[in-house]
Amino acid sequence: MKSLKYSLTAYLCLLFLANANALEIKVSNREELTEAISKVKPGDRIVMSNGIWKDTVIDFNAKGVSKDSIFLEAETAGKVILSGNSSLKLSGDYLVAKGLWFKDGYSKFVISFMNKSKVANNSRVTNCAITDFNPQIKTESNHWVELWGKNNRFDNNYIAGKTNEGCTLVVWLKGEENHHNNHRIDHNYFGERSPLGSNGGETIRIGTSHNSMFQSNTIVEWNKFEKCNGEVEIISNKSCNNIFRNNLFLESQGSMVFRHGNDCLVENNVFLGNNQPYTGGVRIINEGHTVKNNYFCGLTGQDFRGSLVMMNGVPNSPLNRYNQVKNAKVINNVFYNSSSFQLGAGKDEERSLAPINSTIYNNIIYNESDTEAIIFFDEMKGIVFKNNIIDSKNSKKTEGFTAKKLSWKKEGGIFIPNEKSDIDFSVFPKVIANKTGTSWNPKTSKAAISEQTINVEPGIGTLEKAVKKAKGKTKLVLTSGNYLLDRSVVISDNISFIGENAEKTIISFNPAAEKTSNYLFRVESGARLSFESLSLTAKNTAAVKYAIVSPKEDIPGSYSIFVNKSIISDFTNAEGGSVIKASKGTFADTIKISNSILRNNFRGINLSSEKDDIGKYNSENVILENTVFIDFNQWVLNYYRGGNDESTVGGNLVVDHCIFTKTGATEKDLVFQNKGIVNVKITNSVFFDNPKLTSPIRLNGKNNSIKNSVIYSSGEMKLSGKVVSENIIDKNPSYQDAKNFILKDKSPLKAAGTDKKDIGILVVK
């Protein structure tokens, strides 16, 4: 007994002496930091002085011990800013990095738990931030955070603003030293990631297809994923035995996806879509996964982004395709006002194996709309449905689902049924209220700039000068007259040009300018360009090919263009001229043309630069409404997406109350070239007097539709792949005023639209 007391006392004394010898080493430059790391011992703390550390590559290679980690930390959390080509590489044991902020720069990776093939174990990165740390080239791929080794933790960090290719955070399983890693990713804030327009925009990926059958044992818990819209997979699971619990997915346009690997758990998570488009839940592939006690609310995603998706598999599937769903369990979940289950999703000649040996039981589905609760793409004999409740207007009788009217109350931000169930509702308010991210605020503070209004008079160069004065969101108000550009105008902010009258407020290039550009306006990444009540023309400057062009090639981020109550005309340059031209590698969030007239142009909107056929495309949304398109030499729109990549929305084309006439010079021309665009909706529109066209439009796929529209003297539509076509009129529109497209009283287009209004334009300006 005395011997035991003596040993314990001796140990405590040694521990006290070890802590007493621990050093706090303050460093203020790279040289001092490197030297400190080379001499550091267990228990020591290296403190980086506040300030900007530019082009600082930190090789944090050291060996702490259990209960005596080695710390690398900011003097004040959030005040040590690593900019330029800066990064942090950890290797060794029991290391902790704290309080660092990576911003205003770019590195091939930002934080890695490996350095020169040496991994870090039992180490931690906490209370750090990475914001907008992006390259100048969109297709340059990198990962912001790479987890290697074993027993590492990434927690209470703030990560937001990645715009280029590559996952935000990756857990690697290359080599046995990275298997059974037991990493913990917790209490982090993963903020906005804009749509990438291609594969490679995941926020978290654990493993790869090649290593997907190895166990990772990673835990992802108590994190917040807000507006993580990079691609269809917010989290891509590609390994075995991982746990995803107590996370909040907020307005994120994607899903938690079991892409590869087996035996993972999704439990106690909250998915709040707030009815934002393309918001999804959980997608199941492979074997042994459990989806238990989760709350799904306000999700709108369809197909692979459904609230619950079980996919069909491929016989003898290679690791990088789709293994059959086996032994899946979906238990005690709530689906409140969310999109349909998609069971057997992806069924085709290759993906022919429906889920087997699986169960869906004790779930509650509530829907105020008439949304179909479950969509079956294949026979589901391999799934047992039991004790599920449907409270919905569209409660079709389905075995294992009981139609029952429930009463609901709102508590802690969620709706809870008054009836008893096996679902643990108490955890969901805790998930919603959970604090994530850093203890300090990493959001860049900008001086509030109210919207400016700048009045501009007609003349030579007046518009360019006004744009240079614009700071932040600005309205440029143009009086009637001619505005002649001596040079192209570059838009890098939120700029609106508002004219007095579209016929009288005219922007063009100065024919007498010393040097003529081939475009009027270029909109940069991150900018928003709007035109209202004015004209853009190249009537007297044939060398000007484009009214508006995108950023230069391969720029990260997105931009938007809006045209309203305007006229765009006479861009007739036959060497590829068009109204709008997007470059390869650029991406528009929205291109919208409303209440306008586009006439006498060689081509219209050119979104066809992504010809690598790997699923990329140039704009997420193209919206044409209440607009006349007349006298186009080739086509009005070329919206191209090649390849079968399934990670993105796939493009959205919405056409409503438009007129397309006198388009095309040969039978090979089309009004729309929309190859590969997944979502196309054409309503209340007129295609007439395009006599040279064999086919004005070609639609393919169940998400393509044309309704209550006119095809007259314009060839025939080509429809394939379950396109929805309703109420197509092949009669003369019967205009009493053909110039202004005013219908006769007895026209078949009167009050014939889906909205009970006239087909064609509604307002003539």
Side-chain angles (χ1 to χ4, degrees):
M1 187 69 176
K2 289 182 179 180
S3 176
L4 178 60
K5 288 182 178 179
Y6 177 81
S7 298
L8 180 59
T9 302
Y11 172 76
L12 292 173
C13 289
L14 289 171
L15 182 62
F16 173 78
L17 289 171
N19 289 332
N21 291 327
L23 300 176
E24 182 179 285
I25 309 167
K26 295 184 178 180
V27 296
S28 58
N29 56 54
R30 281 178 289 176
E31 291 73 20
E32 291 177 359
L33 175 59
T34 301
E35 183 179 0
I37 292 173
S38 69
K39 297 179 179 180
V40 76
K41 292 181 174 57
D44 287 351
R45 310 178 82 89
I46 301 173
V47 180
M48 297 175 65
S49 62
N50 293 344
I52 297 175
W53 293 62
K54 188 175 181 182
D55 300 331
T56 303
V57 176
I58 304 174
D59 293 331
F60 190 15
N61 179 15
K63 284 189 176 293
V65 296
S66 178
K67 298 185 180 179
D68 255 335
S69 296
I70 297 172
F71 288 79
L72 172 67
E73 59 188 90
E75 178 184 355
T76 305
K79 299 294 185 181
V80 171
I81 296 172
L82 291 136
S83 66
N85 183 22
S86 294
S87 60
L88 169 63
K89 295 178 283 188
L90 301 91
S91 59
D93 296 290
Y94 295 101
L95 309 177
V96 179
K98 297 176 62 178
L100 308 177
W101 187 2
F102 293 86
K103 59 177 286 194
D104 301 326
Y106 169 71
S107 178
K108 189 63 181 175
F109 58 84
V110 187
I111 298 173
S112 178
F113 286 71
M114 182 175 73
N115 184 13
K116 298 177 181 177
S117 301
K118 295 180 180 179
V119 301
N121 296 307
N122 306 297
S123 296
R124 180 183 183 192
V125 172
T126 184
N127 206 28
C128 294
I130 309 172
T131 58
D132 304 307
F133 213 69
N134 296 304
Q136 295 298 310
I137 300 174
K138 180 181 179 181
T139 53
E140 184 168 343
S141 179
N142 77 326
H143 309 124
W144 277 4
V145 181
E146 297 187 340
L147 280 167
W148 300 83
K150 297 180 186 292
N151 306 315
N152 295 315
R153 185 180 180 193
F154 188 79
D155 69 284
N156 290 281
N157 300 295
Y158 183 102
I159 312 294
K162 195 173 195 297
T163 58
N164 65 309
E165 289 185 6
C167 306
T168 305
L169 183 152
V170 173
V171 175
W172 290 104
L173 279 83
K174 295 178 181 178
E176 291 185 12
E177 68 273 21
N178 301 298
H179 300 170
H180 301 277
N181 52 63
N182 301 306
H183 296 319
R184 186 181 178 202
I185 302 166
D186 65 286
H187 293 89
N188 301 290
Y189 175 83
F190 293 97
E192 184 168 1
R193 179 159 192 186
S194 58
L196 185 63
S198 66
N199 191 17
E202 303 98 329
T203 296
I204 292 179
R205 191 189 75 214
I206 302 177
T208 61
S209 58
H210 181 73
N211 296 298
S212 59
M213 291 298 107
F214 295 124
Q215 291 189 28
S216 179
N217 304 325
T218 292
I219 297 175
V220 180
E221 63 180 354
W222 296 109
N223 302 285
K224 182 177 181 179
F225 300 85
E226 184 171 12
K227 292 183 171 64
C228 294
N229 304 336
E231 62 147 273
V232 68
E233 299 180 21
I234 304 167
I235 297 179
S236 182
N237 180 87
K238 294 185 176 181
S239 53
C240 299
N241 295 86
N242 299 311
I243 296 173
F244 306 89
R245 64 189 177 203
N246 306 103
N247 300 290
L248 173 62
F249 297 83
L250 181 61
E251 296 183 9
S252 291
Q253 295 180 358
S255 302
M256 163 70 240
V257 180
F258 295 119
R259 185 63 185 88
H260 303 301
N262 300 326
D263 302 314
C264 295
L265 171 66
V266 172
E267 183 178 26
N268 297 341
N269 301 281
V270 176
F271 297 78
L272 298 181
N274 290 336
N275 296 314
Q276 293 299 305
Y278 315 118
T279 47
V282 175
R283 177 155 56 110
I284 301 173
I285 310 161
N286 286 63
E287 302 181 20
H289 299 308
T290 300
V291 179
K292 180 181 178 182
N293 210 89
N294 301 281
Y295 189 87
F296 304 83
C297 180
L299 306 177
T300 64
Q302 303 293 329
D303 301 318
F304 289 1
R305 283 178 165 88
S307 58
L308 175 71
V309 181
M310 279 193 187
M311 290 196 66
N312 265 25
V314 176
N316 301 311
S317 176
L319 287 174
N320 66 343
R321 290 302 291 151
Y322 292 87
N323 283 322
Q324 187 178 24
V325 174
K326 298 179 182 179
N327 304 312
K329 295 180 180 179
V330 179
I331 315 166
N332 296 344
N333 301 283
V334 179
F335 299 86
Y336 190 92
N337 275 337
S338 289
S339 55
S340 311
F341 289 10
Q342 312 279 315
L343 303 183
K347 179 187 178 182
D348 55 22
E349 291 184 3
E350 180 197 27
R351 291 177 293 215
S352 58
L353 299 178
I356 60 172
N357 300 328
S358 297
T359 55
I360 296 179
Y361 61 91
N362 288 357
N363 301 283
I364 298 175
I365 302 173
Y366 170 82
N367 221 309
E368 294 172 355
S369 70
D370 58 358
T371 298
E372 202 170 345
I374 307 171
I375 298 176
F376 296 96
F377 295 91
D378 205 339
E379 291 188 4
M380 291 294 120
K381 295 179 180 178
I383 300 178
V384 175
F385 302 96
K386 184 179 179 182
N387 296 336
N388 300 288
I389 295 174
I390 296 182
D391 181 1
S392 172
K393 291 181 180 179
N394 193 357
S395 301
K396 293 183 179 179
K397 189 174 182 180
T398 304
E399 185 177 350
F401 289 83
T402 301
K404 183 178 181 181
K405 185 66 178 175
L406 302 175
S407 61
W408 297 80
K409 59 185 177 182
K410 191 171 185 179
E411 290 184 5
I414 63 168
F415 291 91
I416 300 173
N418 289 310
E419 289 79 359
K420 291 183 178 180
S421 72
D422 293 330
I423 299 169
D424 178 10
F425 285 91
S426 66
V427 69
F428 303 139
K430 296 175 185 176
V431 171
I432 294 171
N434 174 51
K435 185 185 182 304
T436 60
T438 53
S439 63
W440 48 278
N441 184 7
K443 294 181 180 179
T444 304
S445 58
K446 295 182 179 179
I449 300 176
S450 58
E451 184 178 30
Q452 287 179 290
T453 298
I454 300 175
N455 296 314
V456 190
E457 295 296 325
I460 299 172
T462 58
L463 212 56
E464 300 100 292
K465 292 176 183 177
V467 171
K468 285 184 178 180
K469 294 179 182 178
K471 304 295 182 184
K473 188 176 182 181
T474 304
K475 287 183 180 179
L476 300 179
V477 179
L478 285 59
T479 58
S480 295
N482 290 303
Y483 294 79
L484 300 177
L485 306 179
D486 269 337
R487 59 181 61 86
S488 299
V489 178
V490 178
I491 305 298
S492 56
D493 219 314
N494 185 340
I495 306 293
S496 299
F497 296 86
I498 302 175
E500 192 172 327
N501 180 288
E503 296 283 357
K504 298 178 180 179
T505 310
I506 302 168
I507 301 174
S508 63
F509 215 92
N510 181 11
E514 291 183 8
K515 185 179 180 181
T516 302
S517 175
N518 66 354
Y519 62 88
L520 298 183
F521 293 88
R522 185 175 82 224
V523 55
E524 297 284 36
S525 181
R528 184 183 191 275
L529 173 60
S530 299
F531 296 104
E532 184 169 327
S533 301
L534 51 75
S535 290
L536 304 177
T537 183
K539 188 172 184 179
N540 298 316
T541 49
V544 178
K545 296 171 68 174
Y546 316 111
I548 309 165
V549 298
S550 73
K552 295 179 181 178
E553 290 189 4
D554 219 4
I555 299 296
S558 61
Y559 64 95
S560 292
I561 298 170
F562 296 87
V563 177
N564 186 35
K565 299 180 182 178
S566 295
I567 300 170
I568 304 180
S569 66
D570 303 303
F571 290 86
T572 56
N573 190 307
E575 296 181 1
S578 59
V579 172
I580 297 174
K581 174 71 165 65
S583 297
K584 181 179 174 61
T586 63
F587 194 69
D589 178 84
T590 302
I591 296 175
K592 183 177 181 180
I593 300 177
S594 309
N595 311 308
S596 297
I597 299 173
L598 276 67
R599 65 186 178 213
N600 191 33
N601 297 294
F602 183 70
R603 293 172 174 170
I605 304 169
N606 191 348
L607 305 172
S608 64
S609 66
E610 297 291 357
K611 292 294 180 65
D612 294 335
D613 291 349
I614 55 175
K616 293 185 178 182
Y617 49 105
N618 285 123
S619 181
E620 192 68 81
N621 303 291
V622 178
I623 303 168
L624 310 176
E625 60 183 20
N626 199 38
T627 293
V628 174
F629 299 85
I630 183 171
D631 286 321
F632 281 75
N633 187 263
Q634 288 193 354
W635 35 257
V636 168
L637 172 67
N638 192 347
Y639 192 6
Y640 184 89
R641 177 179 184 262
N644 296 315
D645 178 66
E646 298 163 338
S647 64
T648 63
V649 172
N652 300 282
L653 172 60
V654 176
V655 181
D656 188 44
H657 285 291
C658 290
I659 294 176
F660 304 89
T661 183
K662 296 181 172 59
T663 297
T666 72
E667 63 181 17
K668 294 182 180 180
D669 293 323
L670 295 88
V671 173
F672 297 149
Q673 297 192 39
N674 51 282
K675 180 178 178 181
I677 302 304
V678 173
N679 303 297
V680 178
K681 182 180 180 182
I682 301 172
T683 52
N684 310 316
S685 295
V686 178
F687 301 80
F688 92 108
D689 196 15
N690 304 293
K692 294 184 179 180
L693 303 185
T694 302
S695 174
I697 53 177
R698 297 172 183 175
L699 303 178
N700 178 36
K702 65 184 179 65
N703 291 331
N704 282 212
S705 66
I706 180 168
K707 298 180 181 180
N708 296 55
S709 293
V710 175
I711 309 289
Y712 181 77
S713 186
S714 298
E716 296 181 355
M717 296 185 297
K718 288 191 176 180
L719 310 179
S720 57
K722 297 183 179 179
V723 170
V724 176
S725 174
E726 296 177 0
N727 302 324
I728 305 304
I729 299 170
D730 60 355
K731 296 179 180 179
N732 192 320
S734 297
Y735 293 112
Q736 65 174 349
D737 181 349
K739 182 179 180 181
N740 293 307
F741 305 102
I742 297 174
L743 295 169
K744 295 179 180 178
D745 290 340
K746 294 185 179 181
S747 168
L749 281 59
K750 296 292 289 184
T754 57
D755 51 8
K756 307 303 180 184
K757 298 178 182 179
D758 295 350
I759 294 176
I761 59 172
L762 299 177
V763 179
V764 179
K765 291 289 185 182

